[in-house]
Amino acid sequence: MADNPTGEMEAAAPVKRKGVKRRAFLIGGVAIVGAGLFGISIADNNAAKDAKTLVAGKGGHSFATWLKIGEDDVITIYSPHTDIGQGSNTGLAQMLAEELDANWDQVRLVSAPAESAFANVGLGRGFLAEMTGQPAIINGIPQSFLSFIARQMNLQITGGSSALRFTGQQTFQKVGAATRLALVETAAKRLSVPATELTTQDSYVVHAKSGRSLRYGELAGEAATLSLENDPRLKDPGQYRLMRQSMQRLDIPAKVDGTAQYGMDFSVPNMRVATIKAAPVRGGKLSSVDAAPALAVKGVEKVIKLDDAVAVIGNGYWPAISGLRALAPEFSDGGNGGISTASIFKAHDDLFGKGEADAEAGDGDVQAGLGSKPIEAKYQVPFLHHAMMEPFALTAHFKGGKLDIWGGMQDPLATKMMAVEVSGLDADNVTFHPMMIGGSFGRRLPMYMEIVGQVTKLAMQLPYPVKLIWSREEEVAQGAYRPQSSAVLKASLTGQKRIAAYRNDYAQPESAESETVFPYVLPAVSRRHFAHVSNQTTGAWRSVNSTQQGFYNESFMDELAHAAGEDPVTFRRNHLKAGSRHLRVLDEVAAKSGWGTPLPAGTGRGVALVESFKTIVAQVVEASVGEDGMPKVHKVTTVVDAGSIVNPDAAMAQIEGGTIMGLSSAIGEAITLEKGAVQQSNLSDYPLMTMAQAPLVQDIHFLNSGAEMGGIGEPGVPPAAPALANALFAATGKRVRNLPIMTQAKG
């Protein structure tokens, strides 16, 4: 569309946006059999050819989509996961390079293109096995069929602590091992020796008997023509040289020297900058706006009206934001003006009162076991914002019938397909260019992000590239928050200080059952979900439902221990299966923390044990209350059983960061509503934990149990809040049942 020389306001036609749950394919996808396995196999071969074409370069040879070996021996790995700062891409490179026996100094890792040929089948296989609980059946499904499903679902997501445990194990290790065998087979042919006489090391195939060796680079061209469908045997951990080592992260040098590019950094010639304001009440629409005040600001070129927002385009961010602030847009409230934090909690109470759950899980006769006078506690937690460091910034350019978008997203392929839907263009005419992300924690999933549709609509109307930046105020007010949630827990105790029955009734938009684990062995347990949906967009927040459920269950376990007159660690031990991983983790954290040893007056210890994403984490927090009534966290001891660890330093950093995030959310973070709108406006009234408030000591221990590999990016978050709350009870005798703690301290 041509530029409007008058600078007058233009309206964009509203476009419906589908919010697709990324894991929906796990169940529904398997049912897609109409195409037939023969047709699916052809489609899979075509996708492999497309992938090779997309990454082909002079002197490079492609292996199984994800790997290219250059004739100069440079090894390029194409990761379907986005760099959010978590270090998992380095771990993926370690896993592939380990099985390949590659020279680490020659390894490079780049983002895979946001194209269907690079849909992440390993991730799909892993999630499907976990969500169905039938790994044997899932492993028997042909790879071509799962590849087809992954492409149909545009699966290229980073989330669920899944990169290493799914993509790494299901795909990258196998690709590395299969490629190594192809290189050995090629070398055996060239050297006229049995393959069994050859070994590999540091990107060489070596024949020790004759002293001859061949570089991977000189073998790659022929090896790339061989089949990799050989189900290679992976290394025994005792053979590892790269895995389980704290290799330097591949992303750090560029981030230190400033060459790393984020969406906020990106620029192209003739680019304009836009910023936007959407209806403050979710569900509202833009009623009217006078563009004149914005157009009077120097540097403002255009005001564009969207269905529920108004955007200002200028020759820089300052003109654009100044123009936006000069406007006085009027919005409807979509009928949501009566919603508030208090009204949502009341709605939860009403649902509990009716007793009609939407879903229930557990075993045993809970009602009979509870008796007439159960122990009861009610807990409440607020909406939580992701508070990522880098606000949203996407650049788009529509030219010659083609649309290009640049920026950092947690699912580049799904982002591209969302732009396809909004623009009405064919997929071949839309390209998304993935970039590093300056923080996310679940916020940059495209199904929860209006900015993808917004920047697409703007670009389709403008003759030049446009970078759309959300202000911090917009980013806080228009979040995809962790749900506001309530829970009523009830339990009864036997005369032997054991739990006879346990019920957890919780209210929030979606069930937590498929994502959370209750580790205790009890005669009767019931977990009942009461669905309540407000006008707010809710989405994945680091560790998803495990933070709410961890707070509820581990706080209540402490209350039950107190009611039984028993030590909190001992009480938990008595309800865990003998010889279990959970019991070992609990015992280790008690020993490492000095549980039971004396503390200074006014300081207490609290413990919590939570499993999430197949990783078990126990924490002991030492805390006191300052003169201002605010908690002071002195020390956190953490024991982690994630099965095995690929990069110990990176894992340590993730647990440290997750603990800080969990403590921060417990102490001060909350998104509150009044008249349907978010009350917080910036980080000034959404207080995050500062460095000065962080615990002086984090003592972290990993157990390499050899169990199935679990995630590491998220499991450090859930135990922090209940461990802190339990520590404060030990220090003061006062229970924390509502978060954030700051609200109660000030009240």
Side-chain angles (χ1 to χ4, degrees):
M1 183 177 292
D3 186 20
N4 182 348
T6 66
E8 293 179 353
M9 182 170 58
E10 296 182 357
V15 180
K16 293 182 179 179
R17 183 173 72 90
K18 294 180 182 177
V20 180
K21 295 290 184 184
R22 303 310 311 141
R23 299 183 188 181
F25 93 101
L26 299 177
I27 306 301
V30 176
I32 303 176
V33 296
L37 291 180
F38 179 73
I40 287 173
S41 179
I42 293 175
D44 195 48
N45 289 334
N46 289 338
K49 292 177 183 177
D50 289 344
K52 184 174 292 188
T53 300
L54 286 167
V55 301
K58 185 177 180 180
H61 304 282
S62 181
F63 295 82
T65 302
W66 309 107
L67 172 66
K68 184 169 71 175
I69 300 178
E71 293 174 6
D72 59 357
D73 295 328
V74 171
I75 294 167
T76 304
I77 298 170
Y78 295 89
S79 173
H81 290 282
T82 306
D83 185 325
I84 312 176
Q86 75 278 43
S88 59
N89 273 335
T90 299
L92 286 172
Q94 286 178 254
M95 296 174 85
L96 193 153
E98 178 67 70
E99 297 295 342
L100 183 61
D101 272 339
N103 183 335
W104 183 250
D105 292 337
Q106 295 170 327
V107 172
R108 310 288 184 268
L109 186 139
V110 298
S111 293
E115 300 294 340
S116 61
F118 288 87
N120 192 347
V121 62
L123 184 75
R125 183 185 291 275
F127 269 135
L128 187 57
E130 184 171 288
M131 300 289 281
T132 62
Q134 301 291 334
I137 294 175
I138 301 308
N139 288 335
I141 297 175
Q143 179 82 359
S144 60
F145 181 72
L146 288 175
S147 296
F148 173 77
I149 298 301
R151 292 193 301 274
Q152 295 302 305
M153 298 307 300
N154 307 311
L155 192 66
Q156 211 178 54
I157 196 171
T158 299
S161 293
S162 60
L164 303 188
R165 66 192 180 111
F166 291 160
T167 308
Q169 292 189 120
Q170 294 286 347
T171 301
F172 276 30
Q173 283 186 273
K174 294 177 181 179
V175 168
T179 301
R180 180 176 55 80
L181 290 180
L183 291 164
V184 168
E185 182 180 341
T186 303
K189 180 180 177 182
R190 290 196 187 177
L191 297 174
S192 300
V193 299
T196 54
E197 293 184 2
L198 298 174
T199 58
T200 53
Q201 185 173 347
D202 291 332
S203 296
Y204 278 90
V205 180
V206 179
H207 186 242
K209 286 185 178 181
S210 64
R212 292 176 294 171
S213 62
L214 293 170
R215 296 181 295 105
Y216 282 4
E218 58 187 314
L219 297 168
E222 185 177 348
T225 65
L226 303 179
S227 171
L228 298 185
E229 295 181 2
N230 47 24
D231 194 22
R233 181 177 179 180
L234 302 183
K235 288 184 179 181
D236 183 272
Q239 301 173 295
Y240 288 163
R241 296 182 304 109
L242 300 176
M243 287 176 65
R244 298 189 179 177
Q245 301 299 313
S246 294
M247 310 299 290
Q248 177 178 296
R249 279 174 46 174
L250 300 175
D251 57 309
I252 295 301
K255 291 177 178 178
V256 171
D257 66 25
T259 57
Q261 284 279 299
Y262 295 87
M264 192 65 76
D265 302 321
F266 185 75
S267 180
V268 291
N270 201 34
M271 183 184 78
R272 306 298 198 274
V273 176
T275 192
I276 199 163
K277 180 177 178 60
V281 179
R282 285 271 189 189
K285 302 296 182 183
L286 179 64
S287 302
S288 64
V289 62
D290 178 7
L295 295 171
V297 174
K298 184 178 180 180
V300 170
E301 299 185 7
K302 191 181 296 293
V303 175
I304 296 180
K305 183 174 68 172
L306 302 180
D307 185 43
D308 60 353
V310 59
V312 175
I313 294 88
N315 58 20
Y317 181 69
W318 182 246
I321 192 65
S322 298
L324 188 68
R325 289 169 178 167
L327 296 178
E330 295 184 1
F331 297 95
S332 68
D333 65 11
N336 296 320
I339 297 176
S340 67
T341 296
S343 74
I344 293 174
F345 280 138
K346 183 181 184 305
H348 293 172
D349 290 342
D350 291 343
L351 289 171
F352 294 145
K354 291 179 181 178
E356 299 174 0
D358 292 271
E360 183 172 5
D363 296 294
D365 190 343
V366 173
Q367 191 59 44
L370 287 176
S372 59
K373 293 183 179 181
I375 300 165
E376 180 174 337
K378 177 182 173 183
Y379 301 90
Q380 295 180 333
V381 297
F383 289 114
L384 287 182
H385 180 48
H386 296 77
M388 56 203 183
M389 184 179 294
E390 179 196 19
F392 291 149
L394 291 182
T395 301
H397 190 196
F398 178 62
K399 183 179 181 181
K402 295 184 180 295
L403 176 67
D404 286 87
I405 303 178
W406 296 264
M409 296 287 286
Q410 284 181 253
D411 194 331
L413 181 53
T415 301
K416 167 188 164 140
M417 298 313 295
M418 181 173 288
V420 166
E421 181 182 347
V422 173
S423 68
L425 300 171
D426 291 336
D428 290 343
N429 292 326
V430 176
T431 303
F432 181 76
H433 305 267
M435 303 183 73
M436 290 181 175
I437 295 177
S440 180
F441 313 112
R443 180 64 182 102
R444 294 178 191 263
L445 294 166
M447 58 279 203
Y448 304 133
M449 285 182 61
E450 293 83 356
I451 192 173
V452 178
Q454 290 171 346
V455 78
T456 299
K457 293 172 188 177
L458 296 181
M460 298 292 288
Q461 298 187 63
L462 299 171
Y464 39 67
V466 60
K467 178 192 287 184
L468 176 58
I469 298 173
W470 275 27
S471 67
R472 181 67 72 183
E473 290 81 2
E474 187 75 357
E475 191 253 330
V476 170
Q478 301 290 338
Y481 313 112
R482 189 193 76 174
Q484 182 176 334
S485 177
S486 302
V488 175
L489 279 77
K490 298 178 181 180
S492 59
L493 296 172
T494 69
Q496 290 74 43
K497 302 180 181 180
R498 299 293 186 270
I499 300 173
Y502 187 104
R503 170 168 287 161
N504 176 351
D505 289 348
Y506 64 97
Q508 60 184 46
E510 295 182 350
S511 169
E513 187 61 31
S514 65
E515 294 176 343
T516 57
V517 175
F518 186 76
Y520 301 105
V521 180
L522 309 178
V525 179
S526 171
R527 300 179 295 276
R528 301 195 300 180
H529 171 234
F530 294 79
H532 177 266
V533 179
S534 73
N535 69 321
Q536 294 303 300
T537 298
T538 57
W541 190 90
R542 192 175 183 179
S543 77
V544 201
N545 287 300
S546 296
T547 50
Q548 304 100 303
Q549 293 300 317
F551 176 64
Y552 300 153
N553 288 315
E554 287 303 293
S555 295
F556 195 51
M557 286 296 290
D558 234 59
E559 297 207 37
L560 295 177
H562 181 70
E566 199 157 51
D567 173 81
V569 169
T570 302
F571 185 77
R572 285 172 171 80
R573 290 191 88 260
N574 290 336
H575 292 90
L576 291 172
K577 183 179 179 181
S580 66
R581 293 168 62 205
H582 295 92
L583 183 58
R584 183 188 175 195
V585 170
L586 181 65
D587 285 344
E588 285 287 332
V589 82
K592 298 295 186 184
S593 66
W595 184 267
T597 60
L599 286 170
T603 300
R605 286 194 187 97
V607 64
L609 173 71
V610 182
E611 177 184 341
S612 60
F613 305 97
K614 299 294 184 180
T615 292
I616 303 167
V617 179
Q619 289 186 329
V620 170
V621 168
E622 294 180 13
S624 62
V625 177
E627 294 181 0
D628 58 357
M630 295 295 293
K632 296 178 65 176
V633 181
H634 305 288
K635 180 181 178 181
V636 181
T637 303
T638 306
V639 173
V640 181
D641 181 358
S644 62
I645 298 297
V646 174
N647 188 313
D649 276 0
M652 184 84 69
Q654 286 299 291
I655 296 298
E656 288 175 342
T659 300
I660 294 294
M661 193 166 179
L663 293 172
S664 178
S665 66
I667 292 172
E669 297 180 37
I671 289 292
T672 57
L673 302 180
E674 192 62 46
K675 297 181 179 179
V678 171
Q679 298 301 288
Q680 287 65 38
S681 60
N682 206 309
L683 298 184
S684 57
D685 51 8
Y686 189 84
L688 302 173
M689 177 175 272
T690 65
M691 291 182 68
Q693 296 170 322
L696 293 175
V697 178
Q698 282 208 55
D699 185 23
I700 300 171
H701 305 269
F702 292 98
L703 304 179
N704 279 317
S705 66
E708 178 185 355
M709 183 184 288
I712 206 70
E714 296 171 276
V717 180
L724 173 59
N726 295 337
L728 294 176
F729 173 77
T732 68
K734 297 179 181 179
R735 284 288 174 194
V736 174
R737 296 193 180 102
N738 301 334
L739 299 179
I741 298 168
M742 178 186 290
T743 303
Q744 299 174 66
K746 289 183 176 179

